[in-house]
Amino acid sequence: MDSSSGGAAAPTAPRTYAFEFRATGGEYFRIWIVNLLLTILTLGIYSAWAKVRRQRYLYGSTSLAGSAFEYHGEPLQILKGRLIAVAVFGAYAFATQFWPKTIFVLLPVLILLMPLVVVFSRRFQMRMTSWRGIRFGFHGEYAGAFMAYVVWGIVAVVTLYLLLPLWLYKRVGFLVGNTSLGTERFAFTAWRGRFFGFYYGTLGMMVAAFVALILLGGIFGAVAGSPDGPPNVAAMIGMGTALMAGFIAIALVVGAFWERSFTNAAYDGIGLGPHRLTCRIRMGRLLWLYVTNVLGVLLTLGLFYPWALIRRLRYQFECMSVESSGSLDEFAAGAAPRASATGEAIGESFDLDFGL
C-alpha cells in the first residue's frame, strides 16, 4: 500500500519574492518641482496635498509579488494634523520667548506628549497603506511608546549613550512589533547585538578618522609654518582644502556605514506569519550612491534631489525580498479583515498626520 496516499499534503516549497520599484527620476522631478513651488506659494498649506501626490506615486511604483502598494491618505486629514502641530509648537515658542522660565514646565509636557504623537503618526501611516486591498494597521499604545521613546531614552542619556543601541532596538521593536497587515501581526526578530555592533563600530570609525585628521593637520601645520618668516599661504590653503575633503569623506563613509547597518538590522528578519523579510544592503554600493548623489545635488544646486532619492530607494528595494514558506495568495486571503466599510470610515475620521 502506498503510504503517501492518505498522508498530509506536501508543504509548499519556499519561494523568494523580490520587491519591484518602477519610479523614475524624471517622473518624480515633475511631481517634486510642482509640489515645491505650490508649497512655497501657499506658505506651506499645499504641503498636505504635496505629500499625498508624492506618497501615491512612490507607493504605486513599489510592488511585491505583482501587486503594488497603495496610499489612501487624504490632504485634509494631513492638514488638520499639521495645523495642530504648528499651533502647539507655535504656542511653545511664543511662551518660551516672552516667559523663558516656562520652558521648565512646557518642555516636560512636550516630552510626555511625544509618545502620543508617535502613536498617532504611526497609526495614520499604517492605516493609509495597503497591499492587495488589505490595510496595514498599528496597535501600539501610549504606555509602550512612553517606555520605548522616553524611558529608554533617559537610560541612554544617563549611561552617557553607552546603551543608545538598546534605545534604538526598543524603538524599532515597538514600531514593528505593533504593526499588522490585515489580521496578521509582524514579528521583530532582530538580534539586539547587531545594534550594539554597528553603533560601536560607527564610534570607532569616527574616533580613528578624527585622530587621523588631527595628526594630518599637525603635519601640515608644521610644514606650512615658518618660524623665521611669514607662513606659507599656499601650503595653508592646501592644508585647509585637504582637511575639508577629509572631513567630507569621513561624513560620507560613516553615514553610509550607519545607514547600511541600521537598515539591515531593522528590516532583516522581520516576520509576518510564515514569511520573512530580508535586507542585504552593501556598503560599497551605498557609499557610491552617497558620493554621486551629493555631487549631483551640489552641482545642480539641489535640482538633482529627485533623482538622488529615486536612486537610493531603488537600491534599497533591490536589496530587499520576502522569503515565503507558503502561498502569498492564500496568506493575503487569510489576513484580509472582515471589517465593515462604516467602521473603516469612522476609524479614518480620527486619523491624523502631524508631519513630524
Side-chain angles (χ1 to χ4, degrees):
M1 180 177 179
D2 187 355
S3 59
S4 64
S5 59
T12 305
R15 182 176 177 182
T16 299
Y17 293 90
F19 284 86
E20 296 180 42
F21 187 65
R22 298 180 301 277
T24 66
E27 290 177 342
Y28 185 63
F29 175 80
R30 291 191 288 272
I31 295 172
W32 174 80
I33 195 67
V34 172
N35 284 348
L36 178 63
L37 293 175
L38 291 178
T39 299
I40 293 173
L41 292 174
T42 59
L43 302 179
I45 298 296
Y46 187 77
S47 65
W49 282 262
K51 177 174 182 176
V52 170
R53 291 187 66 211
R54 179 178 67 249
Q55 298 295 75
R56 286 181 179 172
Y57 174 71
L58 294 177
Y59 280 46
S61 300
T62 309
S63 61
L64 175 66
S67 299
F69 291 83
E70 295 182 79
Y71 182 75
H72 305 277
E74 295 296 334
L76 289 180
Q77 292 174 299
I78 298 172
L79 184 60
K80 285 189 295 184
R82 292 186 174 181
L83 289 176
I84 293 173
V86 169
V88 170
F89 284 100
Y92 172 82
F94 178 84
T96 54
Q97 177 69 27
F98 291 96
W99 302 285
K101 291 184 179 180
T102 58
I103 192 173
F104 297 107
V105 176
L106 295 179
L107 187 58
V109 171
L110 287 181
I111 292 175
L112 292 175
L113 285 176
M114 183 182 66
L116 193 62
V117 172
V118 170
V119 170
F120 274 114
S121 296
R122 180 70 172 182
R123 187 174 298 164
F124 178 87
Q125 180 187 11
M126 292 298 98
R127 283 179 56 84
M128 296 302 108
T129 305
S130 70
W131 177 74
R132 290 192 174 180
I134 307 172
R135 294 285 185 109
F136 286 77
F138 184 69
H139 311 277
E141 301 293 342
Y142 177 85
F146 182 80
M147 285 294 299
Y149 280 82
V150 178
V151 174
W152 283 106
I154 293 173
V155 170
V157 173
V158 169
T159 60
L160 302 179
Y161 296 100
L162 293 176
L163 291 183
L164 188 142
L166 192 56
W167 184 27
L168 295 175
Y169 176 83
K170 294 292 184 180
R171 286 163 50 186
V172 175
F174 172 76
L175 294 177
V176 174
N178 286 292
T179 300
S180 65
L181 176 61
T183 58
E184 190 72 38
R185 287 280 193 107
F186 285 86
F188 183 58
T189 59
W191 178 47
R192 67 185 64 187
R194 292 184 69 175
F195 286 76
F196 280 89
F198 77 74
Y199 173 72
Y200 284 107
T202 302
L203 286 181
M205 290 173 61
M206 292 176 64
V207 170
F210 282 113
V211 168
L213 278 182
I214 291 173
L215 293 176
L216 183 63
I219 295 173
F220 275 132
V223 173
S226 176
D228 300 324
N232 188 327
V233 177
M236 292 184 66
I237 293 175
M239 177 184 69
T241 302
L243 291 177
M244 180 61 68
F247 181 82
I248 294 174
I250 290 171
L252 291 174
V253 172
V254 171
F257 177 79
W258 175 275
E259 183 178 352
R260 186 268 298 184
S261 303
F262 177 80
T263 305
N264 285 345
Y267 283 94
D268 190 41
I270 290 178
L272 182 64
H275 314 292
R276 180 175 176 270
L277 183 67
T278 64
C279 186
R280 300 286 192 275
I281 295 176
R282 297 184 180 277
M283 176 69 179
R285 176 72 183 280
L286 185 59
L287 181 59
W288 169 250
L289 285 175
Y290 264 44
V291 172
T292 54
N293 282 345
V294 167
L295 289 175
V297 171
L298 291 176
L299 293 175
T300 61
L301 301 180
L303 293 179
F304 187 73
Y305 170 76
W307 282 271
L309 176 65
I310 295 302
R311 295 177 74 215
R312 172 65 187 84
L313 289 175
R314 181 179 294 113
Y315 176 60
Q316 178 167 335
F317 283 117
E318 286 176 2
C319 298
M320 295 173 61
S321 62
V322 173
E323 294 181 356
S324 173
S325 296
S327 169
L328 282 183
D329 294 329
E330 294 178 2
F331 173 80
R338 303 294 184 262
S340 68
T342 302
E344 184 89 358
I346 292 175
E348 288 184 10
S349 66
F350 291 97
D351 288 326
L352 294 172
D353 174 30
F354 296 100
L356 301 178

